[in-house]
């Protein structure tokens, strides 16, 4: 029997809750589930029921910590919000064990493959290997579906007892149209009373009676409808248990079909389900099952073997995740000093505790969480009581475990961000600081291709648009991107181009070009002085993903005549490197467990 002395008892007394943490999470949740990505603080006060001044303090803290971004008068979830869901995903070990097989299966079948976990009476996606197709909606890691409306739900419900079915029924009765699941189209509604404004008191009376009559009929119909849905769901659950797989024949929307298999951990518990998703334009449910089930079975066997294999060195795992769990920039205490009463220290600490779960596979003890966060045990414990109370963490005999519900704190929204969306606010910020135009480019064959750009407001700015291609050899971003290539690939690029003297300064000999690229790699930034165009100076830095791979370059371009080279370098380089580091950190958070598209 595990020791429980230091740990929390279930049903924690409310006075032990950390109010600012509870309120901070309420704001994050409201931002994640609300319509659109932009939120006015006043609207957040309304949806959360918090005082406007409280929302402001929460927002100040979340902005300073990097979970939220302020733009004009709006608040938006920032890429760092992905860290909360990442903590859950890392702690499960699922993405490494299951993700690669899901991707391989999607490639083999040329259909989307998704992985979902049970989350109460819902089904929450944790990984997607999507085929982009025009016809079907697709879900993102973090999205939640009603269990009765998707294939994995019938597999998870096979393990439900009376309590779980009760909870499911209560939810479904309360929200029969699934409005609490913003990522699915609502169920088609039952006939409703639409009454026009009444002209006279007697008409008004009649209207009220009519409404009451309709409501009474509707209440009976609603119960009948819920019973019908339940009977159908129970039948599909029974079949799922019997057959070992489940189907979704257009439960979410017309045309969308799926088959799913459960994935078991070594102890035999269902940990997730893998679905192959198709469309009635390509398959009916029978042909999809015939086509997809055999390779799906093989993929699941491989996933179960990966789950059973001893986890990759726990120590290595801990070091990597610990880095992500640490607050970027100044520590919590320094921020408190800087911002005073405007900074909610206990919110910051609670979020650190949540992130720290990502450093360890499986359950974690209080002492370890305290060590990982550098917090006193009593402080970490209060955060844990709050997180357990809100359903983000559960305490078992073997320690605390972070739950899939943390994915509701914005993961779906930020895990879908593209590199361009991640980088653009950083570019805008750089332009404000240096008053020169800033861009992001990727390597595309022998060229660089501009994918994002923020122009300065100078009258004379350099006219380059997104989509512009320029020869990599003559640009600072090209040099940065070439410098990051493995030797063989770099040689192949050089072999395919004949550098032209675009200006009298352009480096054109193979030896000098190779040297320029080597210099770039050694310095860590690219510098091109009037080689592409007379009078044009450009400075570039690499943008890396979480694995340290260079995926893009960021630059500032300016007229060479305005300042000496040394002056330009001295004033611009620190800002440019900080911008590249900021984009890279955001990209690391977002791309930890989800692939990030460029645009
Ligand atoms: C999906 O991944 O989009 C999906 C999975 C299972 C379903 C429906 C959709 O039942």
């Amino acid at each position: 029997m595990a020791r429980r002395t230091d740990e929390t008892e279930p049903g924690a007394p409310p006075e032990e809750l950390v109010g600012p943490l509870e309120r901070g999470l309420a704001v994050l949740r409201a931002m994640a589930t609300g319509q659109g990505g932009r939120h006015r603080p006043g609207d957040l006060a309304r949806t959360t029921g918090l005082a406007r001044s409280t929302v402001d303090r929460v927002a100040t803290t979340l902005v300073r910590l990097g979970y939220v971004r302020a733009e004009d008068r709006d608040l938006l979830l920032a890429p760092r919000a992905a860290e909360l869901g990442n903590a859950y995903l890392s702690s499960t070990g699922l993405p490494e064990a299951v993700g690669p097989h899901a991707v391989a299966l999607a490639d083999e079948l040329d259909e989307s493959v998704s992985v979902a976990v049970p989350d109460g009476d819902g089904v929450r996606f944790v990984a997607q290997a999507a085929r982009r197709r025009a016809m079907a909606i697709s879900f993102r890691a973090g999205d939640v579906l009603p269990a009765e409306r998707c294939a994995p739900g019938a597999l998870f419900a096979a393990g439900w007892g009376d309590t779980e079915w009760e909870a499911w029924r209560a939810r479904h009765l309360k929200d029969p149209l699934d409005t609490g699941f913003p990522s699915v189209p609502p169920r088609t509604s039952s006939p409703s009373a639409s009454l026009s404004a009444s002209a006279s008191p007697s008409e008004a009376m009649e209207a009220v009676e009519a409404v009451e009559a309709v409501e009474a009929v509707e209440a009976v119909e609603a119960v009948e409808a819920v019973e019908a849905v339940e009977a159908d769901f129970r039948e599909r659950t029974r079949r799922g248990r019997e057959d070992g797989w489940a189907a979704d024949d257009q439960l979410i929307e017309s045309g969308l079909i799926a088959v799913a298999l459960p994935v078991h951990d070594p102890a035999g518990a269902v940990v997730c389900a893998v679905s192959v998703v198709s469309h009635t334009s390509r398959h009916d449910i029978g042909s999809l099952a015939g086509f997809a089930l055999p390779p799906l079975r093989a993929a699941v066997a491989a996933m179960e073997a990966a789950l059973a294999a001893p986890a990759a060195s726990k120590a290595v795992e801990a070091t990597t995740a610990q880095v992500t769990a640490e607050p970027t920039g100044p520590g919590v205490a320094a921020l408190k000093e800087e911002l005073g009463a405007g900074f909610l220290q206990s919110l910051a600490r609670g979020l650190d505790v949540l992130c720290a779960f990502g450093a360890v596979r499986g359950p974690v003890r209080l002492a370890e969480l305290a060590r990982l966060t550098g917090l006193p045990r009593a402080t970490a414990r209060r955060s844990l009581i709050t997180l357990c109370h809100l359903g983000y963490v559960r305490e078992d005999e073997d320690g605390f475990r972070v739950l899939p519900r943390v994915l509701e704190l914005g993961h779906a929204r930020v895990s879908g961000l593209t590199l361009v969306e991640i980088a653009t606010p950083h570019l805008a910020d750089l332009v404000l600081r240096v008053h020169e135009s800033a861009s992001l480019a990727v390597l595309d064959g022998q060229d660089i291709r501009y994918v994002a750009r923020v122009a300065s407001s100078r009258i004379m700015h350099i006219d380059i648009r997104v989509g512009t291609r320029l020869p990599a050899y003559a640009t600072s971003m090209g040099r940065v991107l070439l410098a990051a290539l493995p030797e063989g690939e770099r040689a192949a690029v050089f072999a395919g181009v004949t550098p032209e003297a675009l200006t009298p300064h352009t480096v054109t000999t193979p030896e000098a070009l190779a040297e320029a690229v080597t210099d770039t790699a050694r310095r860590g930034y690219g510098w091109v002085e009037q080689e592409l165009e007379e009078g044009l100076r450009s400075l570039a830095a690499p943008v890396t993903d979480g694995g340290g791979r260079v995926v893009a370059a960021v630059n500032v371009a300016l007229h060479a005549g305005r300042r000496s080279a040394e002056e330009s370098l001295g004033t611009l380089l620190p800002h440019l490197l900080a911008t590249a580091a900021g984009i890279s950190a955001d990209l690391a958070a977002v791309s930890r467990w989800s692939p990030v598209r460029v645009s």
Side-chain angles (χ1 to χ4, degrees), residues 448-469:
I448 59 163
R449 180 165 47 84
Y450 281 71
V451 291
R453 178 163 170 84
V454 175
S456 76
S457 55
R458 285 187 195 280
I459 298 173
M460 287 263 301
H461 66 246
I462 295 128
D463 189 25
I464 288 174
R465 283 155 226 259
V466 166
T468 299
R469 299 170 74 100

Side-chain angles (χ1 to χ4, degrees), residues 79-90:
R80 193 174 180 216
E83 300 278 19
L84 303 170
N86 286 346
Y88 161 74
L89 294 169
S90 300

Side-chain angles (χ1 to χ4, degrees), residues 114 125 128 137-139 145 149-152 248 252 256 258 275 277:
S114 62
F125 288 102
Q128 283 284 0
I137 49 170
S138 70
F139 300 102
L145 263 49
R149 283 182 75 187
C150 58
D248 163 3
I252 294 172
L256 182 67
S275 307
V277 191

